[in-house]
Amino acid sequence: MKETNLHTDTDSHRIQACLKGDAQAQSELYHRYAAKLYAICLRYMGEPDTARDMLQDTWIKVFTKLGEFKAQGSFEGWLRRIAVTTCLDSIKSDRMRFSTDIEEHSSLQDDAPSLDSKMDAGKLLKLIEQLPVGYRVVFNLFAIEGYGHSEIAALLSISENTSKSQLFKARKWLQERLIDEKK
């Protein structure tokens, strides 16, 4: 009879083992998802050191709230939401810096510049990390995480028009950098 270690078979077994205080299961979950969560944190924070801090804060929240995971969606999706929320909370707590990047604009252009779809994903991610904070946050939430402008407005305590404006400006900023690189 083959002996199996249940907490290494699936995430659900790992989660149950973590809830019982199994450090090995915690390590396995961490190693399975840390790189993906770090990439999310880096996209939002734009700086590797800050992204690592957010990753650490994310894992603290994950292991603190693991009992609240109800398996009604994917575990990875649950982890991603915690990482995004952790980053957003940090950005919003640094309100002075964030406020200077998010400004109200009443008039918006309807024809947002488009990005070159043939661009290398790694190059685009590097450019996204360089976006000003307000642009980067809205761009990530809209273009990568799939939030709508009303959801973004509620998450960031801004108007929908500000969300639209920041997305427009982020796309324009990215397009200008891409044009500069092609020269």
Side-chain angles (χ1 to χ4, degrees), residues 3 8-9 27 34 40 45 47 56 58 65 67 75 83 111 123 134 155 161 168 172 174 180:
E3 185 178 314
T8 60
D9 291 341
S27 177
I40 292 167
M45 305 314 292
E47 300 169 353
Q56 180 178 351
T58 296
K65 298 180 179 204
F75 182 62
D111 56 333
K123 184 189 267 185
L155 279 170
N161 280 343
F168 173 81
K172 183 176 179 183
L174 288 167
D180 288 346

Side-chain angles (χ1 to χ4, degrees), residues 84-133:
V84 168
T85 302
T86 299
C87 292
L88 292 177
D89 289 346
S90 176
I91 291 167
K92 287 192 303 187
S93 73
D94 189 6
R95 208 56 169 168
M96 179 76 81
R97 188 176 98 185
F98 186 65
S99 295
T100 60
D101 284 337
I102 298 274
E103 299 172 359
E104 288 289 340
H105 295 278
S106 57
S107 64
L108 299 174
Q109 296 179 15
D110 291 329
D111 56 333
S114 62
L115 295 174
D116 184 357
S117 62
K118 297 175 186 173
M119 164 164 230
D120 176 349
K123 184 189 267 185
L124 182 58
L125 287 174
K126 289 288 184 197
L127 283 174
I128 291 169
E129 291 169 15
Q130 296 171 21
L131 280 165
V133 175

